[in-house]
Amino acid sequence: MKKIVLATFLLCSAFFFSQKSMSYVRISYGSICCGTPSTKPVTDYLKKFEKSNKLRAFEILEQGGLGREGEFTLYIGTDKLNKKQKTAFTKGLQSVITSQNKTRIQNSDGTVDFDPAVTVHKSDLADIKNLTIYKK
């Protein structure tokens, strides 16, 4: 029993301390009837932004299990961005998400929600269940 508790503690603490960022932006993927929209436009934008600004890969966490149709939320770490980069990043991300929502089929495709004014901190993520590292 002690070994199980110790192993669980080590795994939980390893995940908690592996988070490098302190501030995150939140992108929520919702469903209307037929599943959530693709993450491809957002991940493509992230890769393009990383390459054009010569940055390392963004830290992305995923909170799954938010609904019956696969709703989930992505948290993207923004600590490595300076003020100018962060402004450009949020404007570009907002543009990509707005474009994705405009091209969706209204009665069947889900929506992507992003509020650039909302910043989630590492302490807030400690209380969130079903949080995993997102694989692009």
Side-chain angles (χ1 to χ4, degrees), residues 7 15 21 26 43-44 49 51 53 59 75 87 91 95 98-99 115 127:
F15 176 73
S21 295
R26 179 178 56 208
T43 55
D44 287 349
F49 191 85
K51 190 173 185 178
N53 288 285
E59 177 185 7
Y75 297 94
T87 302
K91 282 183 182 179
S95 173
T98 301
S99 173
D115 184 357
D127 300 330

Side-chain angles (χ1 to χ4, degrees), residues 39-57:
T39 60
K40 187 168 179 11
V42 171
T43 55
D44 287 349
Y45 172 72
L46 293 176
K47 289 176 186 175
K48 180 182 166 192
F49 191 85
E50 290 165 358
K51 190 173 185 178
S52 66
N53 288 285
K54 299 177 183 168
L55 299 171
R56 291 180 136 185

